[in-house]
Amino acid sequence: MARKSRKESVAIAKAPEKQSGYKTAVYVRLSREDERKIESDTVENQIAFLKDFVSKDETLSLTEIYVDRHVTGTKFDRPQFNQMIADIRSGKINCVVVKDLSRLGRNYLEAGDYIEKIFPFFGVRFIAVTDNYDSLTSNPSEDGLIVPLKNLINEAYAKDISKKIDTSFENMFKQGIFLATTAAYGYRKDPDDPHMVLVDEEVKDIVIRIYVEFLTGSSLAQIAKGLNADGVLAPSVYWQEKGVIHKQKYTNKWEGKMIRRILENPIYTGDIQIGKTKKCYYKGITKPVNREGYYLKLPTLKISLAP
């Protein structure tokens, strides 16, 4: 049996029946790459734009908003997207509205499957506002070619952006630029240079104490017990008091695993290797780099066993 073309598949797909009060889901996605490129196209702006669109269409009734932040469009295994699909299966949602086709995804084949097969199978109306696509009123003979072409362009865009970001990071590694967003315990970010760290004079003696006690025979548990007994703030609580982190309240208790992380962190030697891994933003995966990487010279805490 001859394989049907994509255009033919679109033509025979089950279209949603026209009705009033579609149980509408607004789906918003923004990857880190998109955020760097299009600062105006924030999650909040997308939501406001789509809510306004839905409110002006009498056939749509906003039921749920799904948001995937900092998630690549080349993969469809996304938390909120998966939840939306589960709600479609349960009958909670029968219409999906996105800003444009790239918000649904930048993978040509999978995006096409959702638009041409999965959504029609569940009788779901799909709308990409700025691309002027509505599965309820689309013309298969025209959109059967235009939509796949736009999806192909979106995928090519994702590949191009991924390559440019990778090249940018590689150049920064070669220049010895420190890219960590936070500093290790015992250090603080340099206020005059976001790509460098300084020794944190307030807690450097705690790090030195940990090394000295370990090198003179104390166990991880003994070191942690001593720090707790002396009322030394655990790293997360210390950072929270300094305003470095703003998450929920942490337990102020040192544990052996914290001590181990400090002892195993090469940053305290003053030489840190950067660029050991490489992230493929297009595929959303990180893998080791087949080279030695680059080394960055940082200030040391001058740990010594000398009296």
Side-chain angles (χ1 to χ4, degrees):
M1 181 177 177
R3 183 178 178 181
K4 288 184 173 61
S5 68
R6 178 177 291 272
K7 182 177 178 180
E8 291 173 328
S9 298
V10 174
I12 64 174
K14 182 176 72 174
E17 297 179 0
K18 189 172 183 179
Q19 55 181 282
S20 60
Y22 280 95
K23 295 174 287 187
T24 304
V26 161
Y27 178 72
V28 173
R29 181 194 62 78
L30 192 67
S31 67
R32 293 186 186 277
E33 306 93 273
D34 291 325
E35 203 165 28
R36 292 187 184 99
K37 281 289 184 181
I38 317 172
E39 294 182 359
S40 62
D41 193 16
T42 64
V43 164
E44 291 71 25
N45 286 346
Q46 284 188 55
I47 292 175
F49 174 77
L50 294 175
K51 287 176 68 175
D52 181 65
F53 174 84
V54 171
S55 68
K56 293 177 179 178
D57 190 326
E58 295 181 353
T59 68
L60 305 180
S61 176
L62 183 60
T63 303
E64 194 63 70
I65 297 175
Y66 303 90
V67 179
D68 277 315
R69 293 176 181 267
H70 301 156
V71 180
T72 178
T74 59
K75 298 176 67 176
F76 278 80
D77 185 13
R78 317 170 199 145
Q80 285 291 287
F81 186 82
N82 290 340
Q83 181 59 56
M84 182 177 72
I85 296 301
D87 290 341
I88 287 174
R89 292 177 182 274
S90 70
K92 179 180 178 180
I93 300 296
N94 64 357
C95 180
V96 174
V97 180
V98 297
K99 181 176 180 290
D100 56 54
L101 292 169
S102 70
R103 297 308 96 199
L104 176 66
R106 293 188 184 277
N107 183 299
Y108 164 65
L109 294 176
E110 289 195 67
D113 281 343
Y114 275 99
I115 295 171
E116 300 173 10
K117 299 176 183 178
I118 298 175
F119 288 155
F121 177 80
F122 287 104
V124 171
R125 179 182 179 185
F126 175 69
I127 303 173
V129 181
T130 59
D131 283 322
N132 296 314
Y133 177 81
D134 185 340
S135 61
L136 186 66
T137 58
S138 67
N139 184 337
S141 63
E142 296 178 2
D143 295 328
L145 293 176
I146 296 174
V147 172
L149 178 59
K150 287 185 176 181
N151 285 333
L152 190 60
I153 292 172
N154 288 330
E155 181 171 341
Y157 173 84
K159 291 180 179 179
D160 180 59
I161 290 297
S162 178
K163 184 176 180 180
K164 288 179 179 177
I165 292 175
D166 179 60
T167 301
S168 176
F169 276 126
E170 186 72 15
N171 289 334
M172 285 189 281
F173 290 147
K174 289 179 180 179
Q175 297 173 44
I177 295 177
F178 189 59
L179 297 176
T181 55
T182 57
Y185 183 73
Y187 290 92
R188 61 185 178 85
K189 294 300 288 289
D190 186 342
D192 298 321
D193 184 356
H195 300 304
M196 185 49 68
V197 296
L198 302 174
V199 172
D200 188 342
E201 298 294 336
E202 291 188 40
V203 295
K204 77 169 186 178
D205 290 339
I206 303 302
V207 178
I208 294 174
R209 169 181 170 175
I210 290 171
Y211 271 88
V212 170
E213 290 186 10
F214 179 75
L215 292 172
T216 53
S218 297
S219 68
L220 302 182
Q222 288 172 331
I223 297 172
K225 184 177 180 180
L227 292 172
N228 289 326
D230 291 342
V232 178
L233 294 180
S236 294
V237 176
Y238 173 74
W239 287 325
Q240 192 173 49
E241 289 201 354
K242 291 295 181 181
V244 177
I245 55 177
H246 306 280
K247 296 182 180 180
Q248 69 276 12
K249 186 67 177 178
Y250 292 91
T251 302
N252 187 25
K253 182 180 179 182
W254 284 87
E255 298 177 352
K257 61 184 179 181
M258 298 178 187
I259 306 299
R260 182 183 296 280
R261 282 199 294 267
I262 289 175
L263 291 172
E264 293 179 347
N265 193 336
I267 194 173
Y268 299 109
T269 66
D271 288 305
I272 185 170
Q273 189 178 10
I274 58 177
K276 293 185 294 183
T277 60
K278 181 177 182 180
K279 183 170 184 179
C280 177
Y281 288 88
Y282 167 65
K283 296 181 179 179
I285 59 175
T286 301
K287 59 183 180 180
V289 177
N290 187 26
R291 56 171 165 71
E292 292 185 358
Y294 304 101
Y295 285 88
L296 177 64
K297 196 72 176 178
L298 298 175
T300 69
L301 300 187
K302 297 181 180 179
I303 299 169
S304 173
L305 292 179

